[in-house]
Amino acid sequence: PHNHVKNCVIYTGTHDNNTIKGWFKNELKPEDKSRLSEYIGREISEKNIHKEMIRLALMSVANMSIFPMQDILGLGEKDRMNLPGHANGNWEWRITWDKLTPVLAEELSVLVKRYGRD
């Protein structure tokens, strides 16, 4: 993110890729996890990867930051939206209102304000 230019959009994922947690758990090699922890400056785990990636995106200079709800909620691979090349099981994920908590709203609000995106 420190190399981004202002006139761009940064996002943690799209409807066609794994969630951040799913990516971290199932797709990222141990040496890449280590390099990511080094870049961020602290140990990264499956528990906190989604928050760290969102924070990195928000602190970039990109004009816009976009995050799939699955990443905001810290959901895993079973909650991905689409698996390209597979005819069944796509576009079935739905959010429920109980997931949109005041605590989550406050966490996002703090980050958005901290990085001047409010």
Side-chain angles (χ1 to χ4, degrees), residues 14-79:
T14 71
H15 62 279
D16 276 341
N17 64 267
N18 207 340
T19 66
I20 289 175
K21 274 194 171 183
W23 166 77
F24 186 83
K25 180 180 179 183
N26 302 312
E27 299 174 27
L28 206 58
K29 296 175 187 172
E31 59 269 22
D32 295 327
K33 290 178 183 180
S34 179
R35 215 167 44 245
L36 182 58
S37 289
E38 183 181 315
Y39 181 81
I40 291 174
R42 63 180 149 266
E43 191 64 32
I44 301 304
S45 68
E46 188 180 340
K47 184 177 180 178
N48 68 356
I49 185 63
H50 65 291
K51 291 181 179 183
E52 291 296 337
M53 295 297 280
I54 288 171
R55 188 178 67 79
L56 283 175
L58 287 170
M59 68 190 316
S60 81
V61 297
N63 284 339
M64 185 180 294
S65 295
I66 300 173
F67 319 108
M69 189 56 72
Q70 293 94 324
D71 289 344
I72 292 171
L73 295 172
L75 301 176
E77 184 171 41
K78 71 176 183 66
D79 292 298

